[in-house]
Amino acid sequence: MSEQTVISVDTTGGDRGPGTILAGLNKAVRQNPAARFILHGDAAEMERLLRRRAALRSACDLRHAEGVVPMDAKPSYVIRHANGTSMLGALDSVRSGEAQVAVSCGNTGALMALAMLRLRTAPGVDRPAIAVTWPSHAPHGYNIVLDVGADVRADARSMVEFAVMGAEYARLSFNLARPRVGVLNVGSEDHKGRPGIREAANLIAEIGPQAGEFEYVGFVEGGDIVSDRVDVIVTDGFTGNIALKTAEGAARLIHHAMRDAFTKTVLSRAAALLAYGSLRRLQKRIDPRRVNGGVFLGLGGAVVKSHGSADATGVAAAVKLAFRMGESGFSQRVADRMALLPEGRRAIAAGQQDGA
Amino acid sequence: MSEQTVISVDTTGGDRGPGTILAGLNKAVRQNPAARFILHGDAAEMERLLRRRAALRSACDLRHAEGVVPMDAKPSYVIRHANGTSMLGALDSVRSGEAQVAVSCGNTGALMALAMLRLRTAPGVDRPAIAVTWPSHAPHGYNIVLDVGADVRADARSMVEFAVMGAEYARLSFNLARPRVGVLNVGSEDHKGRPGIREAANLIAEIGPQAGEFEYVGFVEGGDIVSDRVDVIVTDGFTGNIALKTAEGAARLIHHAMRDAFTKTVLSRAAALLAYGSLRRLQKRIDPRRVNGGVFLGLGGAVVKSHGSADATGVAAAVKLAFRMGESGFSQRVADRMALLPEGRRAIAAGQQDGA
């Protein structure tokens, strides 16, 4: 690519503050020396944090922002009070074309609401989606699940778009020529599930694979999210959000149980020392901080949402992903795919009748 | 209790065959010498499997059944061809009053369909539910989640019944005087989620706690399923099924990753030996075979559904639970609670308008 990739960063969002975010950028710039950043936040504090980081400092353009979007504020409140916040600034750098991708660890609902307001949905997209990379038995270690972020369930037409966008994201993330796409349901047989899910599946099978260049594998169950029989799992948003948080809860529980097991006796503590390398590899593999970079798909610009509690490693992972998206012209690729989806009456009608 | 608890067992359901089920009963009878069983299945094979198990043999009454319900048969097919199967026999022993609880490792959908046909729903219950015990951070190690087994989403009125039945089940399982009940949603704020979920939550808050003697804690998220801020998590069935299978998938993935980590290097293999006891304790804690006993609530008789792939340990856990339910007169307790739920117009109307 001839143009330089610029990433705009909201430095005040997140639970851990700008120090952690700048530490993450410092890691990221070591991995991708070509990356350039526009940082939004408290200018004096950013300068202070950059003082001993010359390489990073020279890659950054600072923009002062007074306001901070609170982690627990409702999207409706944030929309009315967003002026002058670092989150809005980060999005506006993408809107103006100065940056290709925005990164924030802030309030997810607020970020999505502001992103929709400032970047709008991409042409041909009814509704954006949040996609996550999910640890799996796949050779490359992950699958893609989307949408995981919605309050209100997506209709059939939106789920076709999720399938196309998710497949493109899997192509970017895992270098797959023809990703396999499935729809999350309570069973894999065609007659399973609520009517809306079956309608979505039929529509995806009919119009999805050609535009999205993917293989449609049918319904998949919760247990298949980690399997290697599918690369992209499409959900209605509501179910996907609950599945994601449930799995994170299960992983956390097992993590605690493991820690307990390895500190219980003198023998087990000795074992933990012996197995230090292996345990670290295991930790790395199932660590949500490394997976972390949730992506907003279907907007008029790319947005990577890192976990609110992300540490420097998590921030670096999100920036790495953002860099890859910017470099590859990901948003344009998605738009090109969307343009191939038929806008015909049938598809729209099918989408609208799905009120179940 | 003066009367003896009798458990009827479907010995042919499940992936592993009667040998595993009888081995499980053998474990169970050692733990509960007072248990009595009516076994349904191939009489000659059961006799052969019982030959060297004198204690178990003397606790069993055998009933020959020619037919086996296939694990992959659709419920609609099974209902038409169930005559003479061991699954139907096991349910009919409860229907006739000879046994208090039926246990099967067979096809879940078929078992529920036949149970509804032969045992009917309990008085005052619109729709039965499948409840599971879910490993958690609670002091006693588990929470209850229901419904996890439905194709079609439950309405608000049914979810009130789930709350009452789930609370009673938590009382039985964990000796809690006043269990805390929450409703699974995408956020804990009152305005979150689809309209049907909010309607259910309002109805539970209004009429549930008095009849069910529980504390209603409001909406909980996927991550809260493992928390100790709630004992019983009510779901609409569809979402619960996906959450359950997703969590099982996550646990399996981590289990495999752990096994890999501890066999990778000589050092880590040595560590695994050193930590053998701790790893076994950990395994036991997160082992779905021990959790296993799903329970059908709201039927005119008690049914425990063990995992299709349950081994002897899993079967023994299911029998132990069945024994406890029979001994405590669980079905009657649930019926008594249900009778306390107002049948008033308002509640029913609220349930019916929930079509979202």
Side-chain angles (χ1 to χ4, degrees), chain A residues 215-296:
Chain A
E215 183 192 341
Y216 178 60
V217 301
F219 287 136
V220 297
E221 299 185 55
D224 296 320
I225 297 178
V226 298
S227 79
D228 60 358
R229 60 174 286 249
V230 63
D231 304 302
V232 177
I233 295 97
V234 171
T235 97
D236 56 33
F238 182 85
T239 318
N241 181 279
I242 286 177
L244 177 65
K245 289 179 181 165
T246 300
E248 285 177 348
R252 238 176 7 249
L253 183 76
I254 295 172
H255 180 83
H256 286 164
M258 265 181 73
R259 213 186 39 201
D260 288 353
F262 279 103
T263 50
K264 193 136 197 165
T265 65
V266 176
L267 266 186
S268 63
R269 261 176 266 147
L273 273 177
L274 264 187
Y276 182 74
S278 303
L279 284 173
R280 260 192 73 107
R281 267 192 303 276
L282 172 61
Q283 167 90 17
K284 214 166 141 171
R285 174 137 164 62
I286 61 175
D287 183 354
R289 293 175 312 161
R290 291 186 182 259
V291 183
N292 206 325
V295 171
F296 291 3

Side-chain angles (χ1 to χ4, degrees), chain A:
Chain A
M1 293 275 150
S2 57
E3 279 192 56
Q4 193 159 43
T5 295
V6 179
I7 297 164
S8 72
V9 181
D10 166 18
T11 68
T12 69
D15 301 324
R16 297 177 180 226
T20 301
I21 292 171
L22 274 283
L25 292 178
N26 206 43
K27 274 176 185 269
V29 87
R30 266 185 263 141
Q31 288 159 12
N32 295 296
R36 292 292 168 269
F37 303 101
I38 303 174
L39 307 189
H40 298 263
D42 182 298
E45 187 166 17
M46 292 191 292
E47 284 290 8
R48 187 180 63 75
L49 288 164
L50 287 167
R51 207 166 292 153
R52 294 205 193 146
R53 290 163 171 157
L56 177 60
R57 180 67 190 89
S58 67
C60 291
D61 181 2
L62 308 191
R63 304 281 166 87
H64 182 67
E66 290 284 343
V68 175
V69 172
M71 286 303 275
D72 53 357
K74 286 190 191 174
S76 54
Y77 174 89
V78 172
I79 284 180
R80 282 175 284 123
H81 301 85
N83 273 342
T85 62
S86 56
M87 186 184 278
L88 194 72
L91 293 168
D92 278 346
S93 292
V94 172
R95 180 184 160 110
S96 68
E98 287 179 285
Q100 286 83 53
V101 192
V103 173
S104 175
C105 304
N107 178 333
T108 307
L111 184 63
M112 180 54 102
L114 291 180
M116 284 190 68
L117 199 69
R118 305 303 278 187
L119 305 177
R120 305 279 169 191
T121 53
V125 174
D126 277 352
R127 160 179 169 157
I130 303 180
V132 291
T133 45
W134 190 299
S136 80
H137 293 288
H140 44 266
Y142 299 97
N143 291 335
I144 302 291
V145 182
L146 79 165
D147 176 34
V148 300
D151 245 35
V152 178
R153 236 186 352 262
D155 64 16
R157 171 70 196 195
S158 293
M159 287 174 72
V160 176
E161 296 168 6
F162 296 172
V164 172
M165 296 190 295
E168 196 57 34
Y169 185 38
R171 234 187 309 274
L172 174 83
S173 302
F174 315 133
N175 295 313
L176 301 170
R178 200 175 164 80
R180 294 159 303 169
V181 173
V183 171
L184 189 61
N185 198 351
V186 292
S188 52
E189 303 91 335
D190 286 345
H191 67 279
K192 287 276 186 176
R194 60 186 183 80
I197 285 268
R198 294 201 297 271
E199 185 58 52
N202 291 340
L203 200 59
I204 290 174
E206 195 182 325
I207 67 173
Q210 206 181 349
E213 216 180 327
F214 59 76
E215 183 192 341
Y216 178 60
V217 301
F219 287 136
V220 297
E221 299 185 55
D224 296 320
I225 297 178
V226 298
S227 79
D228 60 358
R229 60 174 286 249
V230 63
D231 304 302
V232 177
I233 295 97
V234 171
T235 97
D236 56 33
F238 182 85
T239 318
N241 181 279
I242 286 177
L244 177 65
K245 289 179 181 165
T246 300
E248 285 177 348
R252 238 176 7 249
L253 183 76
I254 295 172
H255 180 83
H256 286 164
M258 265 181 73
R259 213 186 39 201
D260 288 353
F262 279 103
T263 50
K264 193 136 197 165
T265 65
V266 176
L267 266 186
S268 63
R269 261 176 266 147
L273 273 177
L274 264 187
Y276 182 74
S278 303
L279 284 173
R280 260 192 73 107
R281 267 192 303 276
L282 172 61
Q283 167 90 17
K284 214 166 141 171
R285 174 137 164 62
I286 61 175
D287 183 354
R289 293 175 312 161
R290 291 186 182 259
V291 183
N292 206 325
V295 171
F296 291 3
L297 299 174
L299 293 165
V303 179
V304 174
K305 164 68 179 72
S306 193
H307 218 282
S309 58
D311 61 6
T313 306
V315 173
V319 168
K320 187 177 167 189
L321 173 63
F323 187 75
R324 193 136 183 232
M325 293 180 85
E327 205 182 28
S328 67
F330 180 75
S331 297
Q332 189 55 49
R333 281 164 188 258
V334 169
D336 293 346
R337 297 274 177 201
M338 285 301 171
L340 298 175
L341 273 182
E343 279 288 349
R345 253 191 219 168
R346 196 147 162 241
I348 301 296
Q352 280 170 348
Q353 78 183 211
D354 171 51

Side-chain angles (χ1 to χ4, degrees), chain B residues 167-196:
Chain B
E168 196 57 34
Y169 185 38
R171 234 185 310 273
L172 174 83
S173 303
F174 314 134
N175 296 313
L176 300 170
R178 201 175 163 81
R180 295 159 301 168
V181 174
V183 171
L184 188 62
N185 198 350
V186 292
S188 53
E189 303 92 335
D190 286 345
H191 67 277
K192 286 277 186 174
R194 59 185 185 81

Side-chain angles (χ1 to χ4, degrees), chain B residues 59-130:
Chain B
C60 291
D61 180 1
L62 308 190
R63 304 282 165 86
H64 182 67
E66 289 284 342
V68 176
V69 172
M71 287 302 277
D72 53 358
K74 287 190 191 173
S76 54
Y77 174 90
V78 172
I79 283 180
R80 282 176 283 121
H81 300 85
N83 272 341
T85 61
S86 55
M87 185 183 278
L88 194 71
L91 293 168
D92 279 345
S93 292
V94 173
R95 179 183 159 110
S96 69
E98 289 179 284
Q100 287 82 54
V101 191
V103 173
S104 175
C105 304
N107 178 332
T108 308
L111 184 63
M112 180 55 102
L114 291 180
M116 284 190 69
L117 199 70
R118 306 303 277 186
L119 306 178
R120 305 280 169 189
T121 53
V125 174
D126 276 352
R127 161 179 167 159
I130 303 180

